[in-house]
Amino acid sequence: MSLYTEFQGGSEVALSKIISHIENRREGYQEVLSRLYRTGGRMYRIGITGPPGAGKSSLVNRLAGLAAEAGHRVAVICVDPSSPFTGGALLGDRLRMQDIPLDKGVFIRSMGSRGSTGGLAAATSNVTVALDAFGFDTLFIETVGVGQMELDIIDACDTVVVALVPESGDAIQALKAGLMEIADIFAVNKADRAGSDQMVYDLQSAMEMKAVHSEWIVPIVATQATANVNLDELYRHLTAHKAYLEKTGLLAQKRAEQLKKKVERVLVKSIQRDIDRTLLNGAVLDDIVGRIMRGEDDPYSAGQALFRQYKFGS
Ligand SMILES: Nc1nc2c(ncn2[C@@H]2O[C@H](COP(=O)(O)OP(=O)(O)O)[C@@H](O)[C@H]2O)c(=O)[nH]1
Ligand SMILES: [Mg+2]
């Protein structure tokens, strides 16, 4: 039986192999993606982001359990660019994730940078294609909210939960990190700790100051992931946000925007690869650099000339 047939038959081993193929961009991975893409299209993607230690894994653990209980086929991707694939943090995530009863069938995959610089957002988005095609209808993506790469990952989600904790500082901190803009729902986790009410209040004030052009009022939920307090409330808001996006047509709009970016990225990547292979091979560049250094050319004219040459395919 071919790998793809096993995949279609529901083998998680086959799924894992296909994910590795895609994640490592091994020979032919684009063809695999093209094939898988067309059989998917139903999966709802929920991003959970926030500072390290906020309780993202613990929250995802609970939420994934609730989604599975509600009859969804659930997958989880943990993105942790800072640690290698087998690193301690990820192992910790894995252990905690094991709290999800196996009979609920939640599929968990960790992704590390493993040397693939800059491509993590694209790799993550590609992996979701495989999960979607496999038949999962709900995906949670956990990522640390620190930089552009994480924002790119979160950009590809339908609903974004920002997890904060009282001790992570004031709401202004979240504002600075750009987390206010991307949050559809706030979870103020570790509500058992001091300062939780103040944090909820600060977030409320900060959100009220924002000029809102949306009918969606960002809920702020005080949770205790470990003690399982208010998780059903958080889950209800997830469901409500999904319903809101569907009702208003915003989901389709969002998907269209995401697809535009995706097509553009594939195009740019292909052009870049082609340029690297053809125009910018060592000898051509050495020659150009030599001329620039001898004062016969400059980087701007040389770049433009190469562009014209590329554009007209000569
Ligand atoms: N006191 C308390 N600890 C929590 C709560 N939620 C998570 N934790 C703990 O906080 C630590 C970090 O949680 P984790 O889910 O790994 O955070 P992540 O780094 O954001 O994924 C772990 O030791 C959790 O057991 C909570 O609501 N209250
Ligand atoms: Mg975590």
Side-chain angles (χ1 to χ4, degrees):
M1 228 182 352
S2 81
L3 190 58
Y4 190 67
T5 314
E6 285 175 36
F7 174 91
Q8 281 179 313
S11 156
E12 288 198 359
V13 174
L15 168 63
S16 293
K17 281 184 188 161
I18 284 183
I19 288 178
S20 297
H21 185 174
I22 293 169
E23 192 185 358
N24 298 319
R25 298 188 173 85
R26 283 205 298 271
E27 186 70 30
Y29 82 97
Q30 287 115 321
E31 286 72 22
V32 173
L33 283 169
S34 301
R35 187 169 181 183
L36 294 180
Y37 188 87
R38 298 184 189 215
T39 58
R42 291 164 302 275
M43 192 170 67
Y44 196 79
R45 288 157 296 172
I46 299 149
I48 304 225
T49 190
K56 298 180 296 297
S57 297
S58 313
L59 288 167
V60 167
N61 190 345
R62 298 283 183 190
L63 292 171
L66 287 171
E69 262 168 36
H72 291 288
R73 287 189 69 189
V74 186
V76 175
I77 299 179
C78 305
V79 186
D80 192 345
S82 62
S83 67
F85 196 56
T86 52
L90 285 172
L91 194 60
D93 277 342
R94 286 232 181 110
L95 291 177
R96 269 191 292 284
M97 287 296 181
Q98 280 172 2
D99 295 349
I100 300 171
L102 286 174
D103 60 4
K104 286 181 185 164
V106 174
F107 179 87
I108 298 159
R109 179 81 183 199
S110 295
M111 295 192 55
S113 59
R114 292 196 288 170
S116 68
T117 45
L120 193 58
T124 304
S125 143
N126 291 341
V127 167
T128 67
V129 173
L131 294 171
D132 195 352
F134 192 74
F136 292 108
D137 64 60
T138 304
L139 171 72
F140 291 91
I141 302 183
E142 174 192 341
T143 175
V144 183
V146 285
Q148 186 54 47
M149 183 169 58
E150 291 73 26
L151 288 179
D152 285 348
I153 291 170
I154 283 299
D155 218 30
C157 290
D158 303 312
T159 295
V160 177
V161 178
V162 171
L164 299 170
V165 276
E167 56 262 51
S168 69
D170 55 12
I172 304 300
Q173 217 46 45
L175 193 73
K176 278 193 200 144
L179 292 173
M180 288 288 191
E181 279 64 32
I182 61 166
D184 297 308
I185 299 165
F186 278 109
V188 176
N189 193 43
K190 303 196 185 180
D192 48 313
R193 302 249 172 110
S196 170
D197 292 345
Q198 184 63 40
M199 178 98 196
V200 170
Y201 178 81
D202 288 347
L203 279 174
Q204 251 150 12
S205 315
M207 294 307 289
E208 275 161 22
M209 287 193 314
K210 260 179 52 178
V212 185
H213 303 289
S214 157
E215 284 170 45
W216 178 255
I217 296 171
V218 177
I220 301 160
V221 191
T223 56
Q224 294 178 42
T226 37
N228 203 11
V229 175
N230 248 0
L231 268 292
D232 43 357
E233 169 84 359
L234 183 59
Y235 185 74
R236 258 198 304 281
H237 286 298
L238 283 183
T239 316
H241 187 249
K242 181 180 183 224
Y244 162 77
L245 290 181
E246 283 168 351
K247 187 189 73 194
T248 52
L250 284 170
L251 185 59
Q253 208 174 307
K254 216 169 184 170
R255 293 270 163 97
E257 284 302 320
Q258 289 164 352
L259 279 176
K260 261 185 222 167
K261 279 189 200 163
K262 184 85 193 170
V263 173
E264 190 183 319
R265 269 201 299 273
V266 174
L267 170 67
V268 169
K269 186 117 194 120
S270 305
I271 293 175
Q272 180 70 54
R273 224 181 278 128
D274 192 42
I275 287 176
D276 290 347
R277 200 170 44 224
T278 55
L279 284 181
L280 294 189
N281 63 57
V284 174
L285 268 191
D286 287 348
D287 180 50
I288 290 172
V289 169
R291 279 193 287 117
I292 295 172
M293 290 180 93
R294 288 192 300 275
E296 298 160 14
D297 203 348
D298 65 88
Y300 311 96
S301 311
Q304 287 296 327
L306 279 173
F307 174 66
R308 279 191 295 274
Q309 193 187 329
Y310 181 75
K311 202 171 161 194
F312 301 113
S314 53

